[in-house]
Amino acid sequence: MNTSGPDEQGLRLIPFRGLRYVPERVGSLAAVTSPPYDVVVRPDGLHHLESADPHNIVRLILPQADTAGERHRQAARTLERWLAEGVIAPDPEPALYVYEQRTDGILQRGVIGALALSPAADGIVLPHEDVMDDIVADRAELMRTAQAHLEPLLLTYRGDGSATGAAAVIERTAERPPLLSTTTEDGFHHRLWAVTDPAERGEIETDLARHQALIADGHHRWATYLRLQREQSAPGPWDFGLVLLVDTARHPLQVRAIHRLLRGLPVARALEGLSGLFRVRRVAGPLPRALDALADAAAEGNAFLLAGDGGFHLVDRPDPELLARTIRTDRPEAWRTLDATVLHSALLDEVWRIPDAPGHIGYIHDTGAAVEQAERLGATAVLMHPVREETVRDLARQGVTMPRKSTSFGPKPATGLVMRSLTLD
């Protein structure tokens, strides 16, 4: 995604002194990493990560205590203690970081740095999803108390496909010995390099200044960055946020759906409410086969897969009159026909009358985890089909945000490989 004119300001990425685990002080680098905070969703996910190593990063991004304030203070104390003990240490000089993720059939490379913040109206960093204020407030208090950015956002931009500018520096850097190399339990191999040479940093910064970016993952954290920036009375480190930038012309991201767990709604009651409003069919399992049926139906229009009672129910062909009275008409057609729009406006708000609040709706990335939790709780899992990346970009360019948690771009950066202190910049 190039900016439309040569005089427009683009991305401004600056180096920082990364905070990184000291390998000699932890069991393994893989054992101290985690997925992003909002992906730790299985019932035993947090416990599993905490048990992997006493210094696992979840103790900072998802601290456990009786109150929110105590959780945030606990994270700050833990980070301070780990720094004092030498478990985590700052790099000796500011750097941009080249980051690689590789597994069977997937190679993703990008650059991590501190990105100048800008509101969506400036057209430099484009959000594509709405956010919830309570989540932003919680993340803001954590960052404010810990004085650190603990996990990078995932942003994408589109170069011209050639190995010039930032792409050239990234490819050259990947030929050198890395700062760290580790393989996490999901099978991804991670490598990280520091780019400290002023000329190479200049190549990256000059190239990125010609581009705008799409937020692929981390809308709540980006909104948090902007909120904390507004609190400051003078320019400083809060004017920048920790991000990973990936050129999707060279490294296309995968786009997956994020599924809904409707905690207080059993499947039988969910199906009762759909009578006369949607076509409902029971489809055969196992889960991969049922998801194939969902994909086939989604090719023709809005479709959802309900699970939680031991079976799978395909819901499609919504009643046009239901859509006409529940879907906003002041948005583009591409937005009005999104599965997430139909789900939230027609099903959740109108048919099932379920408020979009954490106590009622859970957002789960993994299909198996969504089904397992629904069956365990006697709830309903609504499995979604992914949105096309082109649709996401087109709506973002128009300044139209999708319902929150509409997409899951990946692979996501592992949390814990590099952090940013707001007291060192």
Side-chain angles (χ1 to χ4, degrees):
M1 296 165 65
N2 292 331
T3 50
S4 58
D7 297 327
E8 292 182 346
Q9 180 185 2
L11 302 168
R12 182 186 171 207
L13 193 72
I14 66 170
F16 67 102
R17 290 179 63 195
L19 297 181
R20 295 191 297 111
Y21 280 99
V22 178
E24 296 78 13
R25 297 299 309 274
V26 297
S28 75
L29 288 174
V32 296
T33 66
S34 89
Y37 77 98
D38 58 342
V39 184
V40 183
V41 294
R42 291 184 180 274
D44 62 345
L46 185 64
H47 175 72
H48 170 72
L49 291 167
E50 287 181 329
S51 302
D53 189 282
H55 301 107
N56 189 281
I57 192 69
V58 294
R59 287 179 166 80
L60 301 182
I61 63 171
L62 289 172
Q64 300 300 295
D66 292 336
T67 66
E70 181 54 31
R71 288 197 302 270
H72 304 139
R73 289 188 292 272
Q74 179 175 298
R77 291 193 298 267
T78 300
L79 177 59
E80 183 179 1
R81 184 174 72 254
W82 289 354
L83 285 166
E85 295 173 349
V87 172
I88 290 175
D91 282 335
E93 58 182 316
L96 297 176
Y97 296 87
V98 169
Y99 175 49
E100 176 188 277
Q101 295 162 275
R102 183 193 295 268
T103 192
D104 294 340
I106 298 175
L107 171 63
Q108 180 171 289
R109 288 174 179 158
V111 59
I112 295 174
L115 183 68
L117 305 182
S118 60
D122 288 356
I124 299 171
V125 176
L126 303 176
H128 70 267
E129 289 184 356
D130 295 329
V131 298
M132 292 189 71
D133 286 342
D134 59 337
I135 297 176
V136 174
D138 182 76
R139 290 291 105 181
E141 185 60 27
L142 175 62
M143 290 185 197
R144 190 186 297 114
T145 306
Q147 294 281 295
H149 292 158
L150 301 171
E151 45 187 339
L153 283 64
L154 176 59
L155 273 60
T156 72
Y157 68 100
R158 290 194 66 82
D160 59 11
S162 65
T164 59
V169 177
I170 289 171
E171 298 306 314
R172 289 199 305 267
T173 302
E175 299 298 320
R176 303 168 186 164
L179 284 177
L180 64 85
S181 178
T182 190
T183 301
T184 46
E185 65 179 10
D186 58 5
F188 272 94
H189 186 62
H190 307 262
R191 295 196 294 172
L192 188 77
W193 297 262
V195 179
T196 57
D197 179 78
E200 290 191 321
R201 290 196 329 224
E203 280 187 72
I204 294 174
E205 293 163 15
T206 300
D207 184 17
L208 292 178
R210 301 184 296 110
H211 295 284
Q212 60 182 175
L214 174 75
I215 301 176
D217 186 68
H219 283 80
H220 285 92
R221 282 167 284 162
W222 181 259
T224 298
Y225 289 167
L226 294 174
R227 174 179 292 197
L228 293 173
Q229 182 190 38
R230 291 193 295 269
E231 296 177 1
Q232 309 308 309
S233 58
W238 296 97
D239 294 324
F240 297 83
L242 181 64
V243 304
L244 165 64
L245 280 160
V246 174
D247 177 1
T248 54
R250 297 181 65 81
H251 301 288
L253 271 65
Q254 298 176 313
V255 186
R256 294 189 172 94
I258 302 177
H259 313 291
R260 275 62 171 166
L261 177 69
L262 310 182
R263 294 191 173 94
L265 184 68
V267 173
R269 198 162 80 235
L271 295 174
E272 287 174 7
L274 301 179
S275 178
L277 299 176
F278 286 79
R279 182 175 71 169
V280 179
R281 293 172 288 159
R282 192 177 182 96
V283 295
L287 178 57
R289 183 177 177 183
L291 290 172
D292 287 341
L294 172 62
D296 291 341
E300 304 296 327
N302 299 118
F304 313 95
L305 189 66
L306 272 54
D309 62 351
F312 299 100
H313 309 269
L314 185 61
V315 176
D316 65 355
R317 297 188 183 179
D319 173 34
E321 292 186 3
L322 172 67
L323 300 184
R325 72 172 184 266
T326 59
I327 305 298
R328 293 174 55 170
T329 58
D330 60 346
R331 296 290 180 93
E333 177 70 12
W335 183 90
R336 296 199 303 272
T337 56
L338 288 169
D339 286 341
T341 299
V342 172
L343 173 64
H344 282 262
S345 297
L347 281 169
L348 296 178
D349 292 348
E350 176 76 9
V351 176
W352 293 328
R353 300 190 180 276
I354 297 176
D356 191 359
H360 298 273
I361 303 178
Y363 291 85
I364 301 179
H365 293 71
D366 182 78
T367 53
V371 173
E372 187 277 332
Q373 288 200 41
E375 292 179 346
R376 182 171 56 86
L377 297 173
T380 296
V382 181
L383 305 184
M384 312 280 287
H385 188 68
V387 181
R388 293 186 306 113
E389 183 177 357
E390 293 78 7
T391 300
V392 177
R393 290 187 181 277
D394 288 346
L395 288 173
R397 288 191 184 103
Q398 297 176 62
V400 177
T401 54
M402 300 164 63
R404 72 186 192 92
K405 301 295 184 182
S406 293
T407 60
S408 176
F409 282 85
K412 306 177 190 302
T415 298
L417 296 181
V418 62
M419 296 160 274
R420 175 178 179 245
S421 168
L422 290 157
T423 62
L424 290 176
D425 288 6

